Amino acid sequence: MTARPVPPTEASMLLGDLTWPDFESRAHSGYTIVPVGALEPHGPHLPLASDTMISEHFAARLAHGLGGVVTPSIAYGIATEPYRLGGTFPGVISVSGTTFTNLVGDVLSSLADHGVRRIIVVNSAIDNTAFLCEAARTFTERVTDARVMIVAWWDVVGEDFRNALAAETGVARRDDHHAAMVESSLVMHIAPDSVRHEKAATSPGAGPPPRRMSYRVYPLPPDVATETGIVYTAEEAGAHLGARVADQVARQLEAAVRLEFNDPRGQ
């Protein structure tokens, strides 16, 4: 999946739009930002590429704020556990942990071969995290003057902010995870035409609500599965809320990058 269209002022930030002399002139300075997502169900109301859309959005905003180049997305990720998805549904197009780790490592190594040394991986699929860390650890052991930051929107949105949203909307934090209020709101803000708004309040299906687990069981117990993929509530989601979350994350993300790269002004 290629990066989604961005405003004209950001067009030159996409690596795929640069010529090789353009990239060569920028590789040794500034940041290179790698959006990472997944292709998987997010209930009946959000598109399969929701994670990738979110990563691309924040990668573009980060590049605009700090100055940097955004690579094409790594849009195939690690399969999310079925208990998070509410069962097994069509649309989980994933790769193995070995393939994913090797792909990320190869991308990092290729960037480094051209002089890139400051890399930010913007991830929006939680099951990718451990494999991203393994790829970055192995890469930085080999390229010792490189620095890689792996960050997801939920890492920087802030506990106080999330708690305030919960109090304001009446949606408890325990009910706001995969494809729920905050994630749905982000996609409604970022790509409103891709959302089936009328299905955001769809129930899990007939019978009692699905049981939620904090551990894994194979095969998935029947009382954990749903008919629709609705595990958590998205009833209070909206583009206006997504805009607030996006602005909060963008500010906090830029601040975190400046801190970790000792960069008070950006490049």
Side-chain angles (χ1 to χ4, degrees), residues 1 4 37-54 85 90-92 178-179 183-197 199:
M1 177 177 294
R4 295 178 182 278
L39 195 64
E40 63 187 21
H42 284 74
H45 60 296
L46 296 184
L48 297 173
S50 290
D51 291 327
T52 307
M53 292 177 178
I54 293 172
L85 304 178
V92 179
H178 180 83
E183 185 174 30
S184 296
S185 295
L186 279 172
V187 180
M188 289 174 180
H189 168 62
I190 293 166
D193 292 341
S194 72
V195 180
R196 306 295 190 269
H197 296 266
K199 295 186 177 181

Side-chain angles (χ1 to χ4, degrees), residues 53-158:
M53 292 177 178
I54 293 172
S55 289
E56 289 172 345
H57 175 80
F58 287 121
R61 292 188 66 163
L62 189 60
H64 180 71
L66 289 175
V69 172
V70 180
T71 73
S73 299
I74 297 175
Y76 295 110
I78 303 299
T80 294
E81 298 287 352
Y83 81 92
R84 291 185 184 273
L85 304 178
T88 302
F89 299 94
V92 179
I93 313 298
S94 61
V95 295
S96 70
T98 299
T99 298
F100 182 78
T101 304
N102 288 340
L103 172 60
V104 174
D106 286 349
V107 170
L108 298 179
S109 295
S110 292
L111 291 170
D113 288 344
H114 298 291
V116 172
R117 289 297 182 270
R118 297 196 292 182
I119 302 171
I120 305 157
V121 177
V122 179
N123 174 48
S124 295
I126 194 169
D127 289 86
N128 292 342
T129 304
F131 300 91
L132 289 170
C133 291
E134 174 65 13
R137 181 189 63 79
T138 302
F139 166 72
T140 53
E141 286 177 353
R142 183 178 66 82
V143 185
T144 56
D145 61 338
R147 190 169 184 84
V148 178
M149 180 178 182
I150 301 166
V151 60
W153 66 264
W154 58 82
D155 293 328
V156 296
V157 68

